[in-house]
Amino acid sequence: MFHEQPLLHEVDALEDGSRNAGAQDAPALETSHPDIDSALEMHIESGDFAYKTRVVDGKTEHVVMRSKKGQWKDHLRIDDDEVKNFDSEEMATFLIHQVKMDRAIKRRIVAIIILFFIVAIPIVAYSVLVLGVESTDDFEKFLIGGGVVVAFIPVFCILMSSAERAVDNGVYNIRPNFIEVLQKMKDNKQEPYLKGPLEQRIERLRRKNQ
């Protein structure tokens, strides 16, 4: 009986600690948006994407999730400041563009890598077999490798620009409010150098519609 009271205090302390830990580890408040999910499924032609908002530490996170092998995982995250003034239809258009742009960029990166090896391997073979560049010729290897990389920089820029144009045109054809979305994206930017490219995209789409 002499040791009973201290033991009870220890049990209470453990229970309080468990409750506090549980509160700290509580999952973020997550909200689904079936109407936006339907738009994603319709225009991306896949039911593998879902949009959710989460409130973490009082801040809202926008997440596009993707189903892979039966498990949903975060695919894209968007800062709340980028979409703070979007309504539901505009948010759907924004997310459709984000997913399509992500796909287009990945396809072009794969194409650039393949093209790089198709071009680089013959150049390296020619340099070694014909020009006689040896493994010890570090400077010559640097010039050859650097020349190949530099030559691909314009190719990379052209492919990325073509991806943006193609996706912009495609989304505008299926979502007429895309110009309004771009305008709000521009309004949400603070730096002039970020506003400029968005204005150019808006003007390009307006000229297309004339």
Side-chain angles (χ1 to χ4, degrees):
M1 294 296 293
F2 178 76
H3 294 288
E4 183 177 358
Q5 191 65 24
L7 288 174
L8 288 174
H9 283 303
E10 292 176 9
V11 171
D12 291 339
L14 288 173
E15 290 179 350
D16 291 340
S18 298
R19 282 195 293 268
N20 292 334
Q24 293 175 357
D25 297 336
L29 179 62
E30 192 173 84
T31 304
S32 299
H33 302 268
D35 54 337
I36 295 180
D37 291 347
S38 297
L40 288 171
E41 183 174 0
M42 178 186 300
H43 294 297
I44 300 176
E45 299 177 354
S46 170
D48 295 338
F49 294 93
Y51 166 61
K52 296 183 183 296
T53 50
R54 296 174 185 155
V55 179
V56 181
D57 296 331
K59 295 182 179 180
T60 302
E61 294 181 352
H62 303 264
V63 183
V64 176
M65 304 188 73
R66 186 175 184 181
S67 177
K68 291 184 178 181
K69 298 180 179 179
Q71 292 186 340
W72 288 95
K73 297 182 178 180
D74 290 1
H75 182 64
L76 297 172
R77 291 189 179 186
I78 300 102
D79 191 83
D80 188 51
D81 290 338
E82 294 185 47
V83 295
K84 59 186 177 183
N85 53 349
F86 285 16
D87 61 28
S88 180
E89 284 297 314
E90 291 166 345
M91 192 69 198
T93 300
F94 176 82
L95 294 177
I96 290 166
H97 181 272
Q98 292 292 302
V99 173
K100 286 181 174 289
M101 192 67 195
D102 180 68
R103 285 179 167 182
I105 289 174
K106 287 178 179 178
R107 286 196 296 266
R108 280 161 174 77
I109 288 177
V110 171
I112 288 173
I113 292 173
I114 294 173
L115 183 61
F116 178 83
F117 282 106
I118 290 175
V119 173
I121 291 175
I123 290 177
V124 172
Y126 178 82
S127 301
V128 174
L129 299 177
V130 178
L131 300 181
V133 176
E134 299 179 359
S135 59
T136 56
D137 297 331
D138 293 336
F139 182 70
E140 291 186 7
K141 288 191 296 182
F142 173 79
L143 289 179
I144 294 170
V148 174
V149 171
V150 169
F152 268 84
I153 292 177
V155 176
F156 177 83
C157 294
I158 291 171
L159 288 179
M160 292 301 106
S161 177
S162 71
E164 182 180 84
R165 288 172 178 267
V167 173
D168 281 2
N169 291 336
V171 173
Y172 182 64
N173 289 335
I174 60 176
R175 304 288 294 186
N177 67 344
F178 184 49
I179 288 181
E180 286 74 17
V181 170
L182 288 173
Q183 184 62 52
K184 287 191 175 182
M185 290 170 62
K186 175 188 169 185
D187 294 341
N188 289 336
K189 301 296 184 184
Q190 301 298 323
E191 297 80 1
Y193 73 91
L194 295 176
K195 291 178 178 286
L198 288 167
E199 181 61 34
Q200 292 175 4
R201 292 165 67 186
I202 292 170
E203 291 301 320
R204 185 171 66 239
L205 291 174
R206 283 175 176 165
R207 288 196 300 269
K208 178 185 175 183
N209 196 37
Q210 291 177 350

